[in-house]
């Protein structure tokens, strides 16, 4: 029988503008130690999309400690999917004894084990990202090397401009000069907004309507937006409007990328009949392990591949960065939208170039 000594430490941490509630479970036994931290991240600006607005982002950071190394993973709360930090923490705490007893060898083995448990994809993601970071640190290699990819070529991230008044959207654009913007839409004045933003920059635009348009509106807008330098449209229709998306896929003059319609691995093949590409969210699919399979499947089907973020800190963004050599597009500006970060890892230069950390795994250290 394994004897466990469980020490629970609860405190409020004020770290660079972020409020964190920390639950630390430490075991004097064989196996991994588990660390759970809740943070409330402050955003630089109110972030609005077609269905919601917020000034703060609740997020969960999971740590897995073994043999002197700690790997970190992250998953944000999300009202659209009914996920809270409290719900994720409860799920993971129920598995603490199982995690402690698990003989960790590879992230894949741990993911297979965790997939047999009653875990949301968001909680599974946080654990899987932590496992990958831990694995790379134990080996002393970054994940992109373990996956046999090179960082000499990768897509740069877009910078997101959330829905706001036209004046404030222009101000946000000017505040952060960038070669590539994602513009959130879903208003009565969508095309007018893009026209106004175009008058202030020559940057490439991507449009994300977050399920707010109809098929007819999408086809019509695509003609107008193409003339304004838009590269592609992301999830213009509701996630389950497959009939409408089939029409859009055949009639739109711009490529259309699935987001809310592509959640888990099984969705990739269906999306290939209705979209030109997919946007993989690590939190929605359950982490890096399924994301790697989704990337491979999408490429086999001739789809463009994007990985997006959910306003994570550098913990989650650093995991996404390890995938960039395998991607066509990437949306990993989450940490750039924060007033203050909570971790160090990948660095994004002003021109979009990535500075990869020397540390193994995803290269994450908490501040």
């Amino acid at each position: 029988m394994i004897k466990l000594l469980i020490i629970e430490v609860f405190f409020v941490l004020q770290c660079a503008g972020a409020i964190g509630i920390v639950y630390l479970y430490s075991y004097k036994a064989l196996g991994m130690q588990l660390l759970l931290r809740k943070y409330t991240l402050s955003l630089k600006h109110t972030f609005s999309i077609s269905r919601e607005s917020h000034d703060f982002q609740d997020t969960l950071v999971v740590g897995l400690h073994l043999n002197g190394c700690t790997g970190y993973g992250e998953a944000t709360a999300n009202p659209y999917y009914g996920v809270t930090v409290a719900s994720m923490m409860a799920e993971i705490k129920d598995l603490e004894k199982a995690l402690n007893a698990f003989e960790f060898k590879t992230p894949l083995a741990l993911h297979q084990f965790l997939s047999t448990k009653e875990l949301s994809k968001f909680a599974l993601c946080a654990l899987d990202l932590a496992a990958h970071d831990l694995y790379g640190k134990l080996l002393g290699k970054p994940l992109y090397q373990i996956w046999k990819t090179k960082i000499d070529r990768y897509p740069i991230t877009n910078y997101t401009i959330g829905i706001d008044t036209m004046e404030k959207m222009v101000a946000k654009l000017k505040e952060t000069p960038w070669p590539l913007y994602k513009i959130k839409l879903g208003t009565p004045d969508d095309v007018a907004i893009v026209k106004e933003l175009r008058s202030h920059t020559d940057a490439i635009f991507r449009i994300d309507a977050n399920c707010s348009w109809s098929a007819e509106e999408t086809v019509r807008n695509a003609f107008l937006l193409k003339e304004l330098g838009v590269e592609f449209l992301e999830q213009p229709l509701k996630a389950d409007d497959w009939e409408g998306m089939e029409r859009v896929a055949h009639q739109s003059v711009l490529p259309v990328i699935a987001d809310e319609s592509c959640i888990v691995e099984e969705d990739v093949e269906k999306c290939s009949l209705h979209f030109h590409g997919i946007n993989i969210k690590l939190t929605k699919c359950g982490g890096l392990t399924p994301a790697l399979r989704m990337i491979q499947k999408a490429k086999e089907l001739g789809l463009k591949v994007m990985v997006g973020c959910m306003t994570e800190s550098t913990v989650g963004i650093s995991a996404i960065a390890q995938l960039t050599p395998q991607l066509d597009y990437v949306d990993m500006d989450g940490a750039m939208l924060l007033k203050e970060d909570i971790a160090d890892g990948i660095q994004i230069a002003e021109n979009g170039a990535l500075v990869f950390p020397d540390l193994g795994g995803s290269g994450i250290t908490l501040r």
Side-chain angles (χ1 to χ4, degrees), residues 118-277:
E118 294 184 1
L119 276 175
S120 67
K121 296 297 185 184
F122 281 64
L124 180 58
C125 170
L127 287 164
D128 183 70
L129 266 56
H132 275 87
D133 190 36
L134 173 62
Y135 183 63
K137 286 173 177 173
L138 289 169
L139 293 180
K141 292 183 178 181
L143 294 177
Y144 70 82
Q145 285 186 6
I146 294 173
W147 297 331
K148 302 186 185 306
T149 58
K150 298 180 180 180
I151 55 173
D152 53 343
R153 293 183 64 185
Y154 52 80
I156 67 170
T157 183
N158 53 234
Y159 183 83
T160 304
I161 306 294
I163 295 174
D164 212 321
T165 64
M166 199 172 297
E167 293 76 16
K168 288 185 178 180
M169 292 179 77
V170 170
K172 291 175 186 177
L173 183 146
K174 290 183 174 180
E175 181 183 288
T176 307
W178 206 253
L180 177 60
Y181 292 100
K182 175 187 279 192
I183 303 167
K184 295 286 189 176
L185 295 179
T187 78
D189 303 311
D190 284 343
V191 175
I193 289 172
V194 179
K195 284 182 178 178
E196 179 61 23
L197 293 176
R198 173 53 68 212
S199 69
H200 296 278
T201 180
D202 293 327
I204 297 170
F205 287 166
R206 295 170 177 170
I207 299 301
D208 187 357
N210 285 111
C211 311
S212 64
W213 291 351
S214 66
E216 181 180 357
E217 188 176 11
T218 301
V219 172
R220 181 176 65 250
N221 286 348
F223 282 103
L224 302 172
L225 295 173
K226 184 177 182 179
E227 298 300 316
L228 293 170
V230 169
E231 183 179 25
F232 62 70
L233 307 177
E234 185 178 340
Q235 195 67 50
L237 275 59
K238 292 181 179 179
D240 59 354
D241 188 0
W242 297 103
E243 183 179 347
M245 272 313 309
E246 185 172 5
R247 175 187 171 188
V248 169
H250 288 94
Q251 296 182 15
S252 173
V253 296
L254 287 174
V256 185
I257 308 297
D259 182 356
E260 285 87 346
S261 294
C262 189
I263 299 176
V264 295
E265 295 179 65
E266 294 75 18
D267 295 329
V268 178
E269 188 161 3
K270 188 172 185 178
C271 284
S272 70
L273 303 174
H274 301 82
F275 294 88
H276 304 97

Side-chain angles (χ1 to χ4, degrees), residues 299-317:
K299 289 183 175 181
E300 291 172 356
L301 294 169
L303 292 169
K304 293 290 187 179
V305 183
M306 179 178 184
V307 169
C309 64
M310 305 283 270
T311 327
E312 294 97 332
S313 74
T314 286
V315 176
I317 298 303

Side-chain angles (χ1 to χ4, degrees), residues 95-114:
L95 292 175
E96 58 197 33
K97 291 184 180 179
L99 285 168
N100 179 249
F102 185 82
E103 186 178 354
F104 180 73
K105 292 184 178 179
T106 66
L108 175 59
L110 180 59
H111 194 278
Q112 290 173 337
F113 168 73
L114 293 173

